[in-house]
Amino acid sequence: MLSRRALLCLTPALALQAPSARRLATSMSAAPYTLYDLPVSNNGARVRMLLYYKDVKDVEIVSPMELGGLRSEEYLKVNPQGKMPALSCRDENELVPESDTIARFLGGKFDSGGAFSPPAGSIEALKADRLCRHHDIYLAPIQGCMYKASPAGQAYGAFPTRDAALDEFQKQLKLIERYADSSGPYLCGSEPSQADCALFPTLIFADTMLPKFDREFTVGPNTQKWFDMLKNEDSVGKRIYDEVHSALEGWAGKGRWDSIHGAGLRDAEETIFDKIVAGDIPSEKVYEDDLCMAFRDVAPCAPVHVLLIPKHRNDLSQLRKAQPEHVGLLGHLMSKVGAVAEAAGLDDYRVVVNDGAGAGQTV
């Protein structure tokens, strides 16, 4: 179990005299370092995993709820982003957000020159850094596609839809294999490194969440062997797996995925448009890309009558059902109207959206 201790946040005189506004909060923890984290955080588990491997006693793990939660005034003094994890360094009078920075600092502090902090320019550092960067750039920014219900804005990075982000996430999981050491048993060889700590908790997320979207957790053979070893044999890996997976099961028990399109929410019965997209019913295509398809209406209401539809509805059968996660798809549809009109040979045209039977929607 992670420790939960009552804390008192102070504004020390030293911090008030310092020029940096970020040095505002410390704790009364007996340990020189306090890690604010919860078991459900894969980024926090990245740091916890390192601490468990090195059996570090000088870092106390405390729930952000002890400061009032991630959005509380006290916690925002520690991490202004309102995210986990965050590290308070008592003696250095520093507050550190971001798991990569925390893990590298603690690796250097408690394993200088070892597998968690190899010398700069060494092949060991290169191998670990390459995998860590793969995680931080290509996986972590879009992992929300597996558990965020209705995100505001572009929660999936450059990808306009959840499906597109899930496709990319699965692709990047498979690419881990390019850099996994074939001799093992760890990602970079015989010893655990920063790479194992960065990737294993996120792959626990993927292993648990992807099946909720009817998607397979698929990685390369060396990656799968490594994942299974950590999950079932390595004592620290088993501990991290139990912490993260149990927390995710708690999410599931509270209905986390019930309102997420593609997981708890599924499209209603198949429509004629679904059959046209699948090719079961022939159509005269005018335009098509990965997200949408345009074809001529078989019962036109004008000399040129073209229908533009999304290939994957995600419950968007009517405009009134649009949610924040549909913003990218709706924007894509509108951005392709010009291309559809050009393909149909139109210079001037009208764009009509029928929403409901009273407005002429029949499918």
Side-chain angles (χ1 to χ4, degrees):
M1 293 293 292
L2 299 182
S3 61
R4 292 172 57 89
R5 304 192 184 186
L7 299 177
L8 174 64
C9 283
L10 304 176
T11 304
L14 180 61
L16 291 175
Q17 296 168 3
S20 174
R22 59 187 164 83
R23 300 178 181 179
L24 292 175
T26 61
S27 78
M28 292 298 290
S29 168
Y33 301 100
T34 302
L35 178 71
Y36 294 98
D37 190 31
L38 285 172
V40 78
S41 170
N42 63 318
N43 292 314
R46 173 182 190 165
V47 181
R48 299 198 307 271
M49 196 167 176
L50 183 157
L51 297 177
Y52 298 163
Y53 272 126
K54 300 309 298 180
D55 194 26
V56 175
K57 305 298 185 184
D58 289 339
V59 179
E60 182 181 15
I61 302 173
V62 175
S63 167
M65 303 310 294
E66 298 289 355
L67 298 186
L70 296 176
R71 296 299 175 183
S72 69
E73 181 179 350
E74 288 303 318
Y75 187 74
L76 291 175
K77 292 176 183 178
V78 180
N79 185 346
Q81 305 297 336
K83 297 181 178 181
M84 296 180 288
L87 183 71
S88 176
C89 308
R90 185 189 64 198
D91 297 338
E92 293 88 348
N93 194 33
E94 290 287 345
L95 301 170
V96 188
E98 302 304 330
S99 60
D100 180 70
T101 304
I102 296 170
R104 290 178 185 277
F105 171 72
L106 294 177
K109 192 78 176 177
F110 298 107
D111 192 38
S112 179
F116 290 104
S117 186
S122 66
I123 189 63
E124 291 81 8
L126 184 152
K127 288 181 176 180
D129 288 349
R130 181 171 57 187
L131 281 159
C132 287
R133 292 299 287 170
H134 184 85
H135 172 269
D136 294 346
I137 293 178
Y138 302 112
L139 288 169
I142 58 173
Q143 68 179 33
C145 66
M146 296 188 293
Y147 58 85
K148 289 187 177 181
S150 190
Q154 286 282 43
Y156 314 135
F159 305 96
T161 66
R162 186 188 304 277
D163 279 338
L166 285 168
D167 289 343
E168 180 66 16
F169 193 88
Q170 289 182 289
K171 169 188 170 183
Q172 296 300 334
L173 285 177
K174 294 175 182 177
L175 288 176
I176 296 170
E177 186 73 7
R178 289 174 62 95
Y179 311 123
D181 190 300
S182 60
S183 61
Y186 297 97
L187 277 179
C188 295
S190 61
E191 295 183 87
S193 69
Q194 294 280 2
D196 301 279
C197 299
L199 282 159
F200 183 59
T202 298
L203 266 65
I204 299 173
F205 269 34
D207 182 50
T208 304
M209 299 180 191
L210 285 174
K212 298 181 186 298
F213 296 89
D214 294 333
R215 291 172 177 258
E216 293 185 357
F217 171 69
T218 305
V219 293
N222 290 324
T223 310
Q224 186 67 59
K225 183 179 179 181
W226 160 80
F227 181 78
D228 291 340
M229 181 277 294
L230 284 178
K231 177 182 174 181
N232 300 312
E233 301 173 22
D234 183 88
S235 60
V236 171
K238 289 168 65 177
R239 181 177 179 182
I240 288 294
Y241 183 87
D242 288 344
E243 288 177 358
V244 175
H245 187 261
S246 295
L248 294 180
E249 289 296 298
W251 271 8
K254 294 178 181 178
R256 175 83 186 207
W257 284 271
D258 292 353
S259 60
I260 295 182
H261 294 291
L265 291 180
R266 302 298 176 99
D267 286 337
E269 68 280 355
E270 190 177 45
T271 71
I272 189 173
F273 287 163
D274 297 317
K275 294 178 181 179
I276 290 174
V277 170
D280 297 334
I281 296 178
S283 64
E284 186 180 349
K285 292 182 185 178
V286 174
Y287 175 87
E288 183 177 15
D289 62 24
D290 291 342
L291 298 179
C292 65
M293 175 178 171
F295 52 92
R296 297 185 186 275
D297 198 316
V298 295
C301 298
V304 178
H305 187 176
V306 177
L307 300 176
L308 176 62
I309 63 172
K311 285 186 171 181
H312 304 285
R313 286 183 287 141
N314 290 327
D315 203 38
L316 190 62
S317 56
Q318 291 182 280
L319 193 58
R320 70 190 68 185
K321 293 184 178 181
Q323 300 293 326
E325 74 172 84
H326 295 126
V327 168
L329 178 58
L330 288 169
H332 182 81
L333 290 171
M334 291 302 295
S335 72
K336 296 303 177 182
V337 168
V340 173
E342 182 179 359
L346 296 173
D347 293 322
D348 302 301
Y349 51 88
R350 229 173 10 126
V351 179
V352 178
V353 179
N354 298 328
D355 196 79
Q361 182 181 9
T362 59
V363 178

